[in-house]
């Protein structure tokens, strides 16, 4: 890429960040249309961090601190959470698009550099997690950011630069891989071995040494700042979640990632890509891509929605490695033409999700504020985080009609329904909150306050114990903003709240089972208050 093209690419990336970021920030409000549970999860972590708490040390989460630190920094500075999220995404783009520019200038053609740079900007600035779901959500923002970091590190490692740049490449690779550790370690575990192997296969020993050195220096700095116990706590959270019966993987089973009808064609195209690279004389790259496929499978398996966002990286790689015209394989196929067909297939599978992400900031700018309400109805500072009214002010629930006392109980088939949840001899209703989480949480918080329980620590036997976001309650020490396993925060709780209509019934069942086992042989917990929404017990 010559100087003029490099300049044009830089301008293109600057304009892309300005346009996408500008549309997202246009109204100064983050509008949420779904995944409000995930939004509460993010909110609790951010507010805890803004109050000085450290992830893993002060509360349980398998997600790294860097995924939320920018949000927390803006909130500490006095900005509302909605704008904090949007400005953090702009910040991520401002950090990563210059690296994308360097990768493209040093390794890709101009056209391919435009594509690659656009992918990185979109992953940083989207306000939807991907796939083809319309709407707006902050859910899984860390997955998008980690794909961007991974794409950058993999291309730096796989492709030989046009001129010697061992120090720059090594520093960038080391910093990018450290970023993966501090955001979502799944990506680091999946891609770090392949990044190292790719650098070794290029015999770029200086780059490898600088990358390792950079990673060690950053790790040492973080250890000095956070303490060695931070890493043990982080590892402990990861091990806890990996053993969770409820949330070890948030989507399809591992084999289902490949056999899912939506993804079969994509995986077949990836296998064909490996074959074509080998037949085109690209043995090293073909081997690396072959080894990358299991990593892509694993990361996709670990991500909610199982969106194969690696497809566009595959397209960039295939474009960069197109063979010269006239090269044929054993069947007499022109491999350059065959590669063009394969690239078109890969783009057909990968482009829709990215177009959806790219358009999401425009969708944000086109929202009517009259159709939204603040997620935290009584919080002025964070009124810039708003949920669509139908999911804020309308409460719906799913109720089983074939359980005891219900109209279809005589027709019930016990084999088709999970065992009922029983706690201290009481069978709890089979009722699940389907809509209206904000007013559900606010109603419970107001009722508890009026009953004299304000200022206490409430352990919620549900997916999240976010009651303190809606009233004057204390946070659980060592609690978990999202329930995975065990009883995080139980020892600091003043009261146990058992919802009668639950957000996630499996979590309630498992939590109460754990409490029962932990208190085996002890007297039952004293019931203090009962309403149509919950039962409150004295915690030990």
């Amino acid at each position: 890429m010559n100087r003029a093209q490099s300049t044009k690419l830089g301008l293109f990336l600057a304009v892309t960040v300005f346009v996408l970021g500008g549309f997202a920030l246009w109204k100064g409000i983050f509008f949420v249309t779904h995944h409000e549970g995930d939004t509460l999860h993010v909110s609790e972590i951010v507010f805890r961090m803004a109050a000085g708490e450290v992830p893993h040390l002060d509360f349980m989460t398998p997600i790294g601190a860097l995924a939320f630190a920018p949000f927390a920094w803006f909130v500490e500075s006095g900005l509302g959470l909605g704008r904090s999220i949007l400005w953090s995404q702009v910040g991520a783009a401002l950090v990563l698009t210059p690296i994308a520019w360097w990768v493209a200038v040093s390794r890709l053609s101009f056209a391919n550099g435009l594509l690659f740079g656009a992918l990185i900007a979109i992953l940083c600035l989207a306000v939807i997690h991907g796939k083809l779901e319309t709407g707006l959500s902050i859910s899984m923002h860390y997955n998008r950011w980690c794909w961007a970091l991974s794409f950058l590190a993999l291309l730096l490692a796989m492709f030989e630069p046009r001129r010697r740049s061992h120090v720059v490449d090594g520093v960038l690779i080391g910093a990018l891989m450290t970023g993966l550790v501090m955001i979502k370690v799944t990506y680091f575990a999946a891609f770090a071995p392949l990044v190292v192997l790719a650098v070794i296969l290029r015999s770029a020993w200086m780059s490898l040494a600088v990358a390792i050195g950079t990673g060690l220096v950053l790790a040492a700095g973080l250890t000095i700042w956070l303490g060695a116990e931070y890493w043990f706590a982080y590892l402990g959270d990861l091990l806890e979640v990996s053993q969770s019966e409820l949330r070890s993987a948030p989507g399809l089973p591992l084999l289902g990632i490949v056999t899912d009808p939506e993804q079969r064609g994509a995986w077949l195209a990836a296998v064909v890509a490996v074959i074509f690279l080998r037949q085109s004389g690209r043995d090293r790259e073909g081997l690396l891509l072959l080894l990358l496929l299991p990593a892509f499978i694993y990361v996709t398996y670990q991500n909610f929605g199982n969106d194969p966002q690696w497809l566009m990286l595959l397209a960039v790689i295939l474009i960069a490695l197109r063979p010269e015209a006239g090269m044929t394989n054993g069947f007499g196929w022109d491999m350059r033409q065959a590669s063009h067909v394969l690239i078109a297939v890969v783009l057909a599978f990968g482009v829709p999700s990215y177009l959806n992400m790219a358009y999401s900031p425009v969708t944000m700018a086109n929202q009517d504020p009259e159709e939204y309400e603040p997620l935290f109805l009584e919080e002025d500072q964070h009124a810039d985080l708003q949920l669509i009214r139908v999911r804020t002010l309308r409460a719906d629930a799913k109720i089983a009609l074939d359980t005891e006392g219900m109209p279809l109980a005589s027709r019930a088939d016990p084999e088709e329904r999970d065992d009922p949840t029983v706690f201290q001899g009481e069978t709890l209703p089979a009722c699940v909150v389907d809509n209206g989480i904000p007013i559900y949480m606010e109603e419970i918080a107001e009722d508890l306050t009026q009953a004299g329980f304000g200022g206490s620590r409430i352990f919620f036997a549900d997916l999240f114990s976010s009651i303190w976001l809606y009233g004057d309650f204390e946070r659980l020490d060592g609690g978990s903003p999202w329930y995975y396993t065990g009883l995080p925060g139980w020892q600091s709780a003043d009261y146990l709240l058992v919802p009668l209509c639950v957000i996630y019934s499996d979590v309630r069942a498992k939590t109460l089972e754990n409490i029962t086992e932990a208190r085996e042989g002890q007297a039952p917990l004293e019931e203090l208050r009962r309403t149509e929404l919950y039962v409150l017990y004295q915690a030990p």
Side-chain angles (χ1 to χ4, degrees):
M1 193 180 299
N2 59 40
R3 184 180 297 273
Q5 291 175 329
S6 301
T7 302
K8 290 178 181 178
L9 175 60
L11 290 173
F12 168 77
L13 292 176
V15 170
T16 301
V17 171
F18 179 81
V19 170
L20 293 182
F23 273 119
L25 285 161
W26 189 264
K27 296 282 178 67
I29 296 172
F30 196 116
F31 297 107
V32 177
T33 60
H34 56 297
H35 299 153
E36 59 269 37
D38 290 57
T39 308
L40 285 177
H41 167 226
V42 171
S43 301
E44 178 165 353
I45 290 177
V46 171
F47 293 152
R48 280 178 174 267
M49 292 179 68
E53 294 190 18
V54 179
H56 320 303
L57 292 175
D58 296 314
F59 59 90
M60 177 185 177
T61 177
I63 308 301
L66 188 56
F68 309 100
F71 303 172
W73 183 83
F74 279 112
V75 168
E76 282 185 83
S77 300
L79 214 57
L81 181 54
R83 283 172 293 166
S84 295
I85 293 170
L86 295 171
W87 276 113
S88 295
Q89 298 223 129
V90 172
L94 292 175
V95 170
L96 296 184
T97 51
I99 303 176
W101 176 87
W102 169 256
V103 173
V105 166
S106 62
R107 287 160 168 83
L108 303 177
S109 67
F110 177 65
N112 205 13
L114 292 174
L115 173 61
F116 181 69
L119 299 180
I120 300 302
I122 290 168
L123 287 169
C124 291
L125 293 164
V127 283
I128 190 67
H129 69 288
K131 299 204 77 169
L132 301 181
E133 296 179 13
T134 57
L136 300 164
S137 168
I138 190 52
S139 183
M140 285 82 69
H141 73 281
Y142 41 81
N143 288 341
R144 291 187 283 102
W145 290 3
C146 282
W147 278 123
L149 292 168
S150 302
F151 287 5
L152 293 165
L154 286 168
L155 288 196
L156 282 168
M158 288 180 67
F159 291 142
E160 193 75 41
R162 294 189 177 91
R163 61 177 183 270
R164 294 172 64 87
S165 55
H166 296 307
V167 174
V168 173
D169 291 347
V171 169
L172 291 176
I173 290 172
L176 290 165
M177 299 311 290
T178 303
L180 291 179
V181 171
M182 292 302 294
I183 297 177
K184 191 174 180 182
V185 78
T186 299
Y187 286 79
F188 177 83
F191 295 127
L194 279 303
V195 168
V196 172
L197 178 61
V199 176
I200 290 174
L201 290 177
R202 289 199 294 110
S203 298
W205 301 107
M206 179 61 75
S207 293
L208 181 60
V210 173
I212 293 173
T214 300
L216 291 175
V217 168
L218 291 173
L222 289 167
T223 303
I224 293 171
W225 180 29
L226 299 170
E229 64 272 16
Y230 175 85
W231 301 110
F232 292 105
Y234 193 176
L235 179 61
D237 284 354
L238 293 171
L239 291 175
E240 284 282 326
V241 173
S242 69
Q243 298 167 11
S244 171
E245 298 178 19
L246 302 175
R247 200 69 177 178
S248 58
L252 293 170
L254 189 60
L255 183 60
I257 298 300
V258 180
T259 60
D260 178 53
E262 290 185 16
Q263 300 193 34
R264 288 176 194 162
W267 291 109
L268 179 60
V271 172
V272 172
V274 173
I275 296 171
F276 278 13
L277 287 177
R278 303 279 289 183
Q279 291 179 344
S280 301
R282 298 283 191 173
D283 292 347
R284 176 174 63 86
E285 291 86 351
L287 172 63
L288 286 171
L289 181 56
L290 177 63
L291 296 175
L292 271 172
L293 295 186
F296 289 150
I297 291 172
Y298 178 67
V299 172
T300 305
Y301 160 71
Q302 283 287 317
N303 289 355
F304 177 83
N306 306 128
D307 195 10
Q309 291 179 345
W310 52 268
L311 278 165
M312 293 305 291
L313 176 66
L314 176 60
V316 170
I317 291 172
L318 292 175
I319 292 170
L321 298 177
R322 288 175 298 170
E324 296 297 327
M327 176 177 285
T328 59
N329 65 3
F331 296 102
W333 298 353
D334 185 308
M335 294 309 298
R336 187 172 181 86
Q337 294 301 320
S339 295
H340 287 162
V341 173
L342 180 60
I343 290 166
V345 171
V346 172
L347 289 172
F349 283 119
V351 162
S353 176
Y354 279 81
L355 284 179
N356 187 33
M357 288 190 287
Y359 191 72
S360 60
V362 180
T363 302
M364 181 80 75
N366 285 327
Q367 297 308 296
D368 181 0
E370 296 296 322
E371 298 179 1
Y372 289 81
E373 291 288 337
L375 181 65
F376 306 111
L377 298 169
E378 304 298 327
E379 179 58 66
D380 292 335
Q381 178 184 346
H382 305 294
D384 58 356
L385 181 63
Q386 300 195 3
L387 179 65
I388 195 163
R389 287 175 61 89
V390 71
R391 299 189 70 85
T392 309
L393 303 179
R394 167 178 162 175
D396 297 316
K398 294 180 181 178
I399 300 175
L401 295 177
D402 59 354
T403 55
E404 184 177 352
M406 299 302 286
L408 299 181
S410 62
R411 295 180 175 271
D413 185 343
E415 294 184 1
E416 299 303 322
R417 186 172 293 282
D418 294 338
D419 294 334
T421 301
V422 179
F423 182 63
Q424 295 193 165
E426 178 182 357
T427 300
L428 300 177
C431 174
V432 176
V433 176
D434 192 47
N435 205 32
I437 290 177
I439 58 173
Y440 166 82
M441 297 295 288
E442 190 170 79
E443 176 66 24
I444 292 176
E446 288 180 358
D447 185 81
L448 286 168
T449 301
Q450 292 171 5
F453 297 100
S456 59
R457 289 183 172 89
I458 307 292
F459 187 97
F460 233 86
D462 206 341
L463 187 59
F464 33 73
S465 292
S466 300
I467 189 70
W468 65 273
L469 297 177
Y470 285 89
D472 180 24
F473 300 93
E474 296 295 321
R475 300 183 295 270
L476 293 170
D477 294 337
S480 178
W482 188 281
Y483 181 87
Y484 296 96
T485 187
L487 293 171
W490 171 244
Q491 294 303 320
S492 69
D494 299 313
Y495 305 104
L496 166 66
L497 189 147
V498 178
L500 298 178
C501 199
V502 70
I503 292 172
Y504 194 168
S505 57
D506 288 347
V507 168
R508 182 181 65 179
K510 188 62 181 177
T511 302
L512 296 178
E513 178 187 329
N514 290 341
I515 291 174
T516 301
E517 291 178 356
R519 292 181 45 78
E520 187 175 2
Q522 301 181 41
L525 295 174
E526 178 186 359
E527 180 180 321
L528 301 177
R529 182 169 178 79
R530 180 180 291 264
T531 73
E532 293 180 342
L533 288 176
Y534 68 87
V535 182
L536 189 71
Y537 297 91
Q538 180 72 57

